[in-house]
Amino acid sequence: MCKYNHVPKVCDYDRDKESVTESIHNYFLDIFGSSTNCIWRVNKIEEDFITFVPKLNNVSFCVDLRLDEEFTEMAILETFFFSFPILKSVRLEAALTTELFNPESKFYQAESICVNQFQHTFPNVLRHFQGRQAIVNCTQWGASEDLIEFVNRWKSGEAFQKLEYLYFKSWDGEILENQILNEIEAKYIDSTKQPPTHSVPKIYDWHRVHAEPNTDPIISHTYVVRATDNHVASILIQERTISFGVWNKTEEEFLRLMD
């Protein structure tokens, strides 16, 4: 046993991994009961992306990885993702500049993702993401059209049906607020009213220590409406950030929150 962040941790058991892991897991279930959901977190992946994936009940999987500019083994990476069930969370740092993930990759099916990318096109979260929560930090940005397309696809009901929360930040390049709001035909709450605060429980927080349990609050007078069910999403655009929070409420129910 060893300790990490003051938490007991089993280390260096390379032999009989499957049986040892199953024994430890069953021990936890005996103590805490089958209603407990455990997290299997992969922090360090071998160069060939071969890693041990246990077949256990009540376990969610999280993957943390980094791809540098020279990385080319996309087929192997896709196989690596395919070896997991649907992932609870993926944290990815990518310096690649081209879109190489298959649109149906299990990466895009993860419940939540946290991505630091060189250009917003890899991975193309704004086009292919199928999960619930996404945080995207982008070094180079210059395409408001992609954000406009993202919002309009959500509005039409064509994509992002499960989405609860998106936070996008550009480190270099301004997000053109007026252009985006005009193109998405945003609606506005009366300026004399206090808009409601959008915040949902985080699916997984990679920082864990002293982490906030909920997503960052979104307080905005601007919103859009989805055509298929009349549900609302608050949208907050600042100099280099955009926050998008989906409400489980129709427009009528949403506006009633301010009465």
Side-chain angles (χ1 to χ4, degrees):
M1 297 286 286
C2 58
K3 286 190 176 183
Y4 175 75
N5 286 338
H6 307 291
V7 176
K9 178 181 177 182
V10 178
C11 302
D12 300 322
Y13 65 107
D14 291 332
R15 291 182 298 178
D16 300 322
K17 275 188 177 182
E18 186 171 348
S19 60
V20 171
T21 302
E22 184 176 355
S23 297
I24 295 172
H25 181 65
N26 290 336
Y27 178 71
F28 286 151
L29 293 181
D30 288 341
I31 296 175
F32 300 109
S34 59
S35 61
T36 300
N37 188 47
C38 302
I39 302 293
W40 185 275
R41 176 169 164 172
V42 180
N43 293 312
K44 185 178 181 181
I45 304 169
E46 293 84 353
E47 292 182 0
D48 57 2
F49 286 95
I50 297 173
T51 191
F52 170 61
V53 182
K55 303 295 190 292
L56 302 171
N57 296 323
N58 301 82
V59 172
S60 297
F61 295 89
C62 301
V63 172
D64 185 8
L65 61 109
R66 178 180 300 178
L67 305 179
D68 60 26
E69 295 178 356
E70 288 75 35
F71 183 80
T72 59
E73 302 294 339
M74 293 304 300
I76 296 176
L77 181 57
E78 288 283 17
T79 301
F80 166 75
F81 278 122
F82 186 77
S83 67
F84 289 94
I86 298 301
L87 291 159
K88 188 177 188 70
S89 186
V90 177
R91 182 166 65 176
L92 171 65
E93 184 172 323
L96 283 73
T97 58
T98 57
E99 171 59 31
L100 295 173
F101 269 142
N102 185 319
E104 301 302 319
S105 171
K106 276 195 173 181
F107 169 81
Y108 293 120
Q109 297 175 32
E111 290 188 64
S112 69
I113 58 175
C114 179
V115 177
N116 295 313
Q117 55 190 173
F118 182 71
Q119 291 188 2
H120 75 282
T121 54
F122 182 83
N124 201 333
V125 176
L126 297 179
R127 177 175 290 273
H128 301 307
F129 185 55
Q130 301 169 40
R132 292 163 50 198
Q133 298 177 11
I135 297 174
V136 182
N137 297 298
C138 178
T139 303
Q140 292 189 6
W141 170 259
S144 295
E145 293 80 6
D146 290 332
L147 281 172
I148 293 167
E149 181 189 26
F150 158 77
V151 176
N152 284 335
R153 290 178 71 207
W154 180 88
K155 285 180 61 182
S156 70
E158 174 190 346
F160 315 114
Q161 288 93 344
K162 298 178 183 178
L163 187 67
E164 300 172 343
Y165 174 81
L166 169 75
Y167 175 83
F168 183 93
K169 182 172 184 177
S170 170
W171 293 100
D172 182 15
E174 184 180 1
I175 295 176
L176 302 177
E177 179 178 3
N178 291 335
Q179 177 191 353
I180 293 173
L181 294 180
N182 288 335
E183 292 286 343
I184 66 175
E185 299 180 345
K187 295 189 175 186
Y188 297 89
I189 297 169
D190 191 305
S191 60
T192 62
K193 294 185 177 181
Q194 174 64 30
T197 300
H198 179 279
S199 185
V200 294
K202 291 179 180 177
I203 293 173
Y204 186 75
D205 196 316
W206 286 93
H207 300 292
R208 293 186 300 168
V209 180
H210 308 302
E212 293 294 331
N214 296 331
T215 58
D216 290 343
I218 302 173
I219 305 173
S220 176
H221 284 84
T222 310
Y223 69 96
V224 290
V225 180
R226 186 161 54 194
T228 51
D229 57 10
N230 208 36
H231 278 203
V232 167
S234 294
I235 182 167
L236 178 63
I237 301 177
Q238 297 171 312
E239 182 180 0
R240 293 185 177 179
T241 66
I242 178 170
S243 300
F244 189 87
V246 180
W247 293 83
N248 188 25
K249 295 184 182 297
T250 65
E251 184 177 18
E252 182 180 356
E253 294 168 335
F254 173 74
L255 295 175
R256 200 181 299 142
L257 293 173
M258 290 164 282
D259 292 342

